[in-house]
Amino acid sequence: MRIAIVADKKLGHLSQCLGLRNIIKTYDRKKDVFLLNKDLISMPGFLEKLLSLVSQKLYLFILKLLNPSLVKFRFDFVICSGSRTVFPGLLLARISGAKVLYVGTPKFRIMKSFDGIVSTKKDISKVYKVISSNLPPTKFETFKVLKESNSQNLVLLGGDGSGYDYGEKDWYRLAFEFRSLKTTFINSRRTPEYAWKNLQKNPEDKHKFLNLEKTDFDTLLNAIDTHSNIFVTADSTSMIVEIITRGYFVNVIEFRGPIQREHHHNIIEGFEKLGLLQIISLNELHKSENREFGEVKKFVEKEQKELKEKIYQLL
């Protein structure tokens, strides 16, 4: 079985595609990934929107003319995530004679012809072939053997987004609360530079720092597997889901409430009710739980098994 992925520049979208492909069939993480405007030509966003409003079938035809080399590929499945991948993904699937799956919320009428929409949302129109899942797929797999922990903290940092808008005081408070705790910090693209630099001014040798963009996957995985307590800022859905998918309990740090609620908050609160995480404030770090708390791994394996069965039943 050959499975291809059509991916945009967002790592979260690619992670979901890699995870879903691995649920369907264990697969080489780097094989058969088509990146937009590198392996597969797509139109600029404003032109795509204009053409899709005029005629979505016309836009597919234009993409086919722009990508003549696609005719040499043959796949059984094509997986995509992110609105920019919808038309290129459908095109590759049709040329290959493959089934096509989308991970996320459908945004175009033409997605009614997709073979499946994998989503955590329960209120999507029945015109789409929805495969519901409580846990979005990620590139992480559940651990096979639990490694001995180093009794230290791992903190994954996000930034503004998902309904959150942080101020300087929030970041300085985080640095203050962790100043005396043995901790490894991992930033993200959204972490403010001043906040990252301020953390590195903390005293002595209690802290280590990993820049996510310069850290390879195996190093990141080892950091997750060897720290006893894992924290993620409340804005980062993808990081939270990735830790849970690995089989670990997450302590979600909420600096202050979101300025507006989004679907993201329903997902996180749902996970808390299921016992996969807890939401705490910076003055509640003493309430944090060890990564082994609860039965997270058992939940993840059950969800992935059910998702695989739903995909095969539908397709």
Side-chain angles (χ1 to χ4, degrees):
M1 182 187 296
R2 293 195 66 193
I3 306 174
I5 287 172
V6 177
D8 58 19
K9 293 181 179 180
K10 293 187 178 181
L11 295 179
H13 291 159
L14 176 58
S15 180
Q16 290 188 110
C17 292
L18 291 170
L20 183 60
R21 184 173 68 176
N22 205 53
I23 289 171
I24 298 172
K25 178 181 180 290
T26 301
Y27 215 90
D28 184 341
R29 196 163 62 89
K30 296 181 180 180
K31 189 177 180 183
D32 294 332
V33 175
F34 292 79
L35 298 175
L36 293 187
N37 298 318
K38 180 181 178 182
D39 308 301
L40 203 160
I41 298 173
S42 64
M43 303 289 281
F46 71 95
L47 279 178
E48 178 185 79
K49 187 173 183 179
L50 177 62
L51 286 169
S52 62
L53 286 173
V54 173
S55 172
Q56 295 183 358
K57 290 183 179 179
L58 172 63
Y59 181 47
L60 272 177
F61 177 73
I62 293 172
L63 281 183
K64 185 175 181 180
L65 295 178
L66 293 173
N67 296 276
S69 63
L70 291 185
V71 295
K72 68 181 181 182
F73 295 104
R74 286 293 177 270
F75 295 103
D76 300 294
F77 287 95
V78 173
I79 300 172
C80 58
S81 180
S83 60
R84 297 300 311 282
T85 69
V86 169
F87 291 98
L90 181 58
L91 176 64
L92 179 60
R94 287 184 172 178
I95 290 175
S96 300
K99 302 287 186 180
V100 57
L101 300 172
Y102 180 82
V103 188
T105 305
K107 297 177 175 64
F108 296 99
R109 294 191 307 275
I110 204 166
M111 294 174 72
K112 292 186 291 185
S113 60
F114 273 52
D115 296 286
I117 308 291
V118 179
S119 178
T120 57
K121 286 192 173 183
K122 311 296 183 184
D123 58 348
I124 297 175
S125 170
K126 292 183 179 180
V127 301
Y128 302 105
K129 303 178 184 70
V130 180
I131 305 171
S132 61
S133 175
N134 292 315
L135 186 70
T138 80
K139 63 184 176 183
F140 288 85
E141 299 177 41
T142 54
F143 66 86
K144 292 180 173 59
V145 178
L146 185 67
K147 289 186 178 181
E148 184 178 353
S149 68
N150 56 17
S151 300
Q152 296 183 14
N153 303 302
L154 180 69
V155 181
L156 293 93
L157 306 170
D160 292 347
S162 299
Y164 290 94
D165 184 13
Y166 302 135
E168 289 187 24
K169 289 183 178 179
D170 298 313
W171 293 108
Y172 290 142
R173 176 71 186 282
L174 181 139
F176 176 79
E177 293 295 341
F178 279 96
R179 72 194 185 286
S180 61
L181 304 176
K182 290 186 176 180
T183 305
T184 298
F185 293 96
I186 301 177
N187 67 351
S188 70
R189 292 181 179 180
R190 292 184 292 112
T191 306
E193 187 176 353
Y194 72 84
W196 187 237
K197 288 182 178 179
N198 183 62
L199 278 171
Q200 295 177 59
K201 294 177 182 178
N202 272 337
E204 302 177 7
D205 59 350
K206 290 186 173 66
H207 294 172
K208 295 180 181 178
F209 302 90
L210 292 175
N211 189 318
L212 188 60
E213 293 186 3
K214 299 178 181 178
T215 302
D216 63 72
F217 183 71
D218 290 335
T219 302
L220 174 62
L221 202 59
N222 184 64
I224 293 171
D225 287 343
T226 55
H227 287 74
S228 59
N229 288 44
I230 302 175
F231 299 84
V232 183
T233 55
D235 57 273
S236 189
T237 315
S238 58
M239 288 181 177
I240 292 169
V241 174
E242 286 167 356
I243 301 300
I244 291 173
T245 305
R246 188 62 179 161
Y248 300 132
F249 185 86
V250 184
N251 300 288
V252 176
I253 301 174
E254 190 163 69
F255 295 157
R256 49 190 165 123
I259 56 176
Q260 65 180 41
R261 286 187 61 85
E262 299 181 1
H263 178 56
H264 154 86
H265 302 105
N266 296 330
I267 294 175
I268 302 307
E269 289 172 6
F271 287 162
E272 187 172 35
K273 291 177 181 177
L274 290 168
L276 307 176
L277 58 82
Q278 68 170 340
I279 302 172
I280 59 176
S281 60
L282 281 170
N283 62 3
E284 296 177 317
L285 297 185
H286 61 283
K287 294 183 180 179
S288 66
E289 296 288 357
N290 187 277
R291 63 179 183 172
E292 299 173 45
F293 184 78
E295 297 184 333
V296 179
K297 183 182 181 184
K298 185 182 293 186
F299 170 84
V300 174
E301 291 174 337
K302 178 176 178 291
E303 282 293 313
Q304 291 183 344
K305 180 181 178 182
E306 290 179 356
L307 178 56
K308 182 176 181 177
E309 289 173 352
K310 288 178 182 178
I311 290 171
Y312 276 100
Q313 286 174 4
L314 185 64
L315 303 182

